[in-house]
Amino acid sequence: MNDRLPPALTTSPFLPFALPDIGEEEIAEVVACLRSGWVTTGPKTRQFEADFAAYLGGDVEAVSLNSATAGLHLALEALGIGPGDEVIVPTMTFTATAEVVRYLGATPVLADVDANTLNLTAAAVEAAITHRTRAIIPVHYAGFPCDMDAILTLAKAHGLRVIEDAAHAFPSLYKSRLVGTLGSDATVFSFYANKTMTTGEGGMVVTRNPEIAARIRMMRIHGIRQDAFSRYTATTPSWFYEVVAAGFKYNLTDIAAAIGVQQLRKIDAFLARRQQLAATYARALRDLPLQLPADAVAGSGNRHAWHLYVVRLRPDAGISRDALIGRLCEQGIGTSVHFIPLHRHPVWRSTCQRANAEFPAAEAAFAAMLSLPLYTKMSDTDQQRVITALNNAFAGNVT
Ligand SMILES: *Cc1c(COP(=O)(O)O)cnc(C)c1O
């Protein structure tokens, strides 16, 4: 696998935390797009959306955007979220999950997560509900599905809308069903560079609600009723268009969609490799003082997408998280932390005014967690280096 890395990386002893897996197929598709004369939203984007919907079983609509953040924003917009409304989000997530609530003048309300899966729990959501609550954004943390039955039941009982942040969760299964088909109002996937598949930057909103899909299609391109490609390809004079809402500029380009079309064809192979790497870590790390990530229980029908492999130091580890990251870095191993909980960031600290002690599970996890490299371009030898470096770090024999 290493022979496919760029030269600068093959000669570097440093193993990066993440790398995209772009092959000749993606390159050829992008070149064909560039030669076609149509580079912005057009036929490739439509194909990518159709292929993505088909992957999820065909009874959903898939609407592409230039990021998952844009998708979360427009999904909330389509639900009519606005000033005075509250939206419950987990504190253990990336800032995008909360910032989109602010785009609409509404208030994100942070909730703690399950101590094992680090997913939002129905109990934490219930405790955060007020008379202003309008929606919930569960995040399928690292690619492990939230307990959506519990969350959807609670949402229904309180008349709340649900948008799944599935930035990590393609293709995760919940009770044998693909995330994206679970019956929430909308599910949002990310194709950022380090996600389980990439378009460089990009996102997809998936919904079974045709009104939500239509609203997002319009709002992603300035609130114009008809898109540029339909006007361009029309055989009758088609200069006329109407702007019916103050929209946004969130459309995916055909150049990016060309990458996506080819990445999607590889997603099952990517998943198989991620599963293999996760299984190897689980075997090789079990005697170290680490809490390994929650995995699907056999027979549950759940499936982890393994976007992230997050380990936590056990209290008896005898080394801090920061020191461990330092010792791995000294040995040329890149790691990361997912996530610094939102309640610790200055902007959300001042907006939400919540004490760290209100989020005991996220706090305990954050203090102990680090994400190990897990991506399809890693070779078995690369992974062995990570395992050896971890063993060295705990043995204290790092030179
Ligand atoms: C990456 C990520 C996003 C944002 O995705 P973009 O495509 O970069 O906008 C949102 N939520 C979570 C949990 C993420 O990890």
Side-chain angles (χ1 to χ4, degrees):
M1 279 194 141
N2 264 332
D3 58 355
R4 286 162 61 208
L5 292 178
L9 292 169
T10 31
T11 53
S12 165
F14 198 85
L15 182 74
F17 168 68
L19 277 178
D21 193 343
I22 305 289
E24 290 306 319
E25 300 81 2
E26 287 84 343
I27 292 167
E29 191 83 47
V30 167
V31 169
C33 171
L34 294 173
R35 291 195 199 285
S36 77
W38 193 270
V39 290
T40 184
T41 308
K44 268 300 147 201
T45 303
R46 289 187 181 182
Q47 183 191 343
F48 182 40
E49 291 175 339
D51 290 355
F52 201 84
Y55 185 92
L56 293 176
D59 66 338
V60 294
E61 290 196 59
V63 184
S64 64
L65 299 125
N66 60 12
S67 72
T69 306
L72 290 165
H73 176 196
L74 292 192
L76 287 172
E77 198 275 341
L79 296 179
I81 304 297
D85 295 337
E86 290 179 355
V87 178
I88 298 170
V89 306
T91 190
M92 187 54 79
T93 185
F94 184 57
T95 192
T97 318
E99 80 189 22
V100 293
V101 178
R102 295 283 288 176
Y103 290 0
L104 294 157
T107 306
V109 173
L110 305 180
D112 204 7
V113 290
D114 178 76
N116 182 36
T117 63
L118 306 184
N119 277 333
L120 192 59
T121 62
V125 171
E126 188 153 30
I129 292 174
T130 73
H131 67 283
R132 291 178 183 274
T133 308
R134 294 280 314 279
I136 310 166
I137 312 182
V139 176
H140 304 293
Y141 176 85
F144 188 82
C146 293
D147 185 356
M148 288 307 295
D149 282 351
I151 290 171
L152 289 169
T153 303
L154 182 69
K156 200 167 176 196
H158 291 266
L160 306 176
R161 315 303 292 264
V162 177
I163 295 170
E164 294 164 73
D165 180 336
H168 303 179
F170 189 66
S172 299
L173 290 176
Y174 173 68
K175 297 190 177 174
S176 307
R177 289 175 294 152
L178 281 163
V179 167
T181 67
L182 303 177
S184 61
D185 292 288
T187 305
V188 185
F189 297 95
S190 172
F191 310 128
Y192 179 67
N194 70 0
K195 299 284 159 66
T196 55
M197 62 167 273
T198 188
T199 58
E201 299 279 359
M204 192 77 81
V205 178
V206 169
T207 181
R208 286 208 186 94
N209 182 326
E211 280 154 32
I212 291 175
R215 177 77 185 175
I216 296 174
R217 279 205 179 90
M218 185 179 74
M219 293 306 279
R220 73 178 168 181
I221 186 78
H222 303 294
I224 293 172
R225 245 199 255 275
Q226 191 188 30
D227 70 37
F229 187 68
S230 353
R231 281 191 285 126
Y232 179 82
T233 53
T235 50
T236 50
S238 59
W239 56 268
F240 184 78
Y241 64 89
E242 272 183 316
V243 178
V244 295
F248 300 89
K249 180 68 168 126
Y250 280 166
N251 53 306
L252 190 72
T253 68
D254 268 22
I255 302 171
I259 304 172
V261 163
Q262 292 299 332
Q263 289 270 292
L264 183 60
R265 290 188 187 165
K266 301 177 180 178
I267 195 66
D268 291 338
F270 285 169
L271 174 69
R273 178 60 181 156
R274 285 181 179 276
Q275 288 172 323
Q276 200 176 46
L277 289 163
T280 300
Y281 274 143
R283 267 195 314 278
L285 305 181
R286 74 183 151 209
D287 294 330
L288 293 177
L290 293 172
Q291 179 185 343
L292 300 183
D295 194 1
V297 175
S300 63
N302 292 345
R303 182 174 74 196
H304 204 309
W306 296 114
H307 162 54
L308 297 174
Y309 196 88
V310 179
V311 297
R312 280 177 266 177
L313 283 163
R314 289 209 311 253
D316 61 335
I319 178 175
S320 73
R321 185 268 312 279
D322 294 359
L324 178 59
I325 286 178
R327 286 187 193 174
L328 292 172
C329 185
E330 285 164 29
Q331 298 176 86
I333 306 299
T335 56
S336 192
V337 173
H338 296 91
F339 293 94
I340 302 167
L342 295 186
H343 66 264
R344 282 182 166 258
H345 286 287
V347 62
W348 304 121
R349 197 184 271 289
S350 66
T351 316
C352 303
Q353 303 273 331
R354 304 281 294 275
N356 293 353
E358 293 182 64
F359 307 96
E363 279 290 301
F366 169 61
M369 65 168 37
L370 66 155
S371 306
L372 302 180
L374 189 160
Y375 46 98
T376 55
K377 291 210 82 159
M378 271 177 86
S379 66
D380 291 344
T381 313
D382 291 335
Q383 188 178 29
Q384 220 43 63
R385 277 184 59 200
V386 179
I387 293 162
T388 303
L390 275 165
N391 277 287
N392 288 342
F394 285 113
N397 50 5
V398 179
T399 48

